[in-house]
Amino acid sequence: MLRRPKSGCSWTAPVPQARLLRCSCTRARGPRAMKMHFCIPVSQQQPDALGGRYTLYSVYLDGFLFCRVRYSQLHRWNQQLRRVFGNCLPPFPPKYYLAMTTSMADERRDQLEQYLQNVTVDPNMLRSDVFVDFLKRVQLDTFGITTKKASLDIFLPDGRSIQAEILTSDTVERVLEVVSHKLGLCRELLGYFGLFLIRFYKEGKLSVMKKLADFELPYVSLQSSEVENCKVGLRKWYLDPSLDSMLMDCRAAVKLIYLQAIQDIEKEWAKPTQLQRQKLEALQKEDNQTKFLELSQEVQHYGYMQLDPCTCDYLEPGCGAILSVGNNEISCSITLPDNQTQDIIFQMNRVKCWQVTFLGTLLDMDGPQRTLNQNLELRFQYNEDSRWQWFVIYTKQAFLLSSCLKKMISEKMVKQAAENPEMQIEVPEQGKSKKYHIQQSQQSQAQKDYSIFQPRKSKVKIAEVDCVLGNIKEEGL
């Protein structure tokens, strides 16, 4: 039976800590970009050179440690952004000239977290030098990496790798340009591909951990990852299989999605019938890539992102589940306690909202960990039999799942806008924006942001090490 979301989450841990943040995403029609999964679940008191102390905030993006920064660094960055963008920036938490109380410190952390989430809404800001240069610098400084020439292996779906000669300070966008040049991939098609952190297992399985944001530094993200056997992989980044048609005029793009289709079938992410498999194998022997991809469109779960086995509370609590996400749906293969399986499909047009919750401690003997991959849950509200019910999934890939849900919604909006020339929306992809027209009558309905994070506060006392339990709140999708 589907349960309603908990009004609060209790947590006990051997550290003197803290608070819950809850991340919920509500569907809405809006002209702005979607917020990113930024959160600040950990802050620590550090001694300075003059004998005083300052707070160091650990910023996570999509569940991975992104950087550690001081308030003063973010304050200077905000001033630089305001000189360029003026008053369109979100409010920045004020300075305090006296010692902060516990509630003031907690409020500042909340405000800094909301600032980072809100500042990523404007696609023009995301592409600006002042935005990207600061994030590049704090990523390098956090992990003690200097700017220098380096080689980075980018793995293709067939297991081969391309050695990209880059700088350690090169962003995803720049690395993609280098890789596309080597592959002969048309630059205007870069938005259909992305770089991912992928974990490879000895038995041949793989697990997609996260999609790297355009402003992330792939070299730094890989070096700082605590995930064993993790590599940077190139994959297509769209979940509407029909978008294959946009790439058919570029031989290199066709080759990439062809290799990924073969890999997905081999890994059983895509599930052809026996007859389809025979036809696909014949086309593969002929190296008829176009026909292979055309037939793949008919294969179950073609072009979907499959998650690692996880658990859910539907149809009973603790049931095993395998999720495949794509083509505007969430497909679940659920294993019941009696080992019987049941396939459930959730259509995205019936999903009202979702939230990601982190339920665990971030501290160990050596300080905060670099990934939020333990005790994560994603729950979404779904209209079933004319009633709104909650479906809960417990998976370490909750942030990736949330990104996929947002991706499907953005693709749906772009498709609807293309079908209706009177609409205008802006959905950034790979540093580029796609603009359409929004009717004035729709404006009042479209004012909500795609993502509004509203952290919850708790009244737990904050000691010298202020570790925060993260629950990221995201509304207005």
Side-chain angles (χ1 to χ4, degrees), residues 335-348:
T335 303
L336 301 173
D338 59 3
N339 288 327
Q340 292 186 359
T341 60
Q342 185 169 344
D343 294 332
I344 307 291
I345 293 178
F346 298 94
Q347 298 293 339
M348 282 301 296

Side-chain angles (χ1 to χ4, degrees), residues 230-261:
C230 189
K231 300 174 182 178
V232 177
L234 176 68
R235 296 178 60 85
K236 66 181 183 183
W237 180 228
Y238 55 90
L239 295 169
D240 179 355
S242 68
L243 290 177
D244 279 2
S245 61
M246 305 297 292
L247 283 64
M248 288 301 161
D249 291 335
C250 176
R251 181 179 300 178
V254 170
K255 179 70 172 181
L256 284 173
I257 61 176
Y258 170 71
L259 293 177
Q260 185 169 325

Side-chain angles (χ1 to χ4, degrees), residues 102-118:
T102 297
S103 61
M104 292 166 66
D106 192 48
E107 182 180 21
R108 170 176 282 185
R109 183 173 49 236
D110 286 346
Q111 292 171 341
L112 288 173
E113 187 175 74
Q114 291 177 45
Y115 176 84
L116 288 173
Q117 295 155 1
N118 290 326

Side-chain angles (χ1 to χ4, degrees), residues 328-339:
N328 215 33
E329 67 180 27
I330 308 168
S331 177
C332 304
S333 178
I334 298 173
T335 303
L336 301 173
D338 59 3
N339 288 327

Side-chain angles (χ1 to χ4, degrees), residues 236 241 244 248 257-258 260-262 264-265 270-272 276 279-281 283 288-304:
K236 66 181 183 183
D244 279 2
M248 288 301 161
I257 61 176
Y258 170 71
Q260 185 169 325
I262 293 174
D264 289 352
I265 293 172
K271 301 172 177 61
Q276 287 174 336
K279 291 181 178 179
L280 289 169
E281 288 174 351
L283 292 171
N288 193 332
Q289 299 176 11
T290 302
K291 291 291 185 182
F292 185 98
L293 291 170
E294 288 177 0
L295 179 57
S296 296
Q297 294 282 333
E298 304 172 11
V299 174
Q300 182 185 21
H301 295 169
Y302 168 72
Y304 286 41

Side-chain angles (χ1 to χ4, degrees), residues 109-171:
R109 183 173 49 236
D110 286 346
Q111 292 171 341
L112 288 173
E113 187 175 74
Q114 291 177 45
Y115 176 84
L116 288 173
Q117 295 155 1
N118 290 326
V119 83
T120 60
V121 166
D122 187 344
N124 293 318
M125 205 169 301
L126 286 173
R127 295 191 293 269
S128 68
D129 290 340
V130 65
F131 180 91
V132 174
D133 290 347
F134 173 78
L135 295 182
K136 287 168 61 174
R137 185 168 65 253
V138 293
Q139 288 178 78
L140 291 167
D141 292 346
T142 294
F143 301 106
I145 296 175
T146 58
T147 299
K148 60 183 179 181
K149 291 183 179 180
S151 295
L152 181 65
D153 288 330
I154 306 297
F155 284 80
L156 304 179
D158 63 352
R160 295 181 298 115
S161 65
I162 291 179
Q163 192 172 77
E165 302 300 326
I166 62 166
L167 296 176
T168 55
S169 58
D170 280 342
T171 63

Side-chain angles (χ1 to χ4, degrees), residues 180-209:
S180 68
H181 179 72
K182 283 205 164 190
L183 292 174
L185 180 64
C186 303
R187 287 174 62 95
E188 59 269 23
L189 298 180
L190 283 180
Y192 293 95
F193 295 89
L195 295 182
F196 296 79
L197 286 184
I198 303 175
R199 184 177 183 181
F200 292 84
Y201 296 90
K202 292 181 180 179
E203 57 270 25
K205 295 182 179 180
L206 61 86
S207 173
V208 178
M209 305 305 297

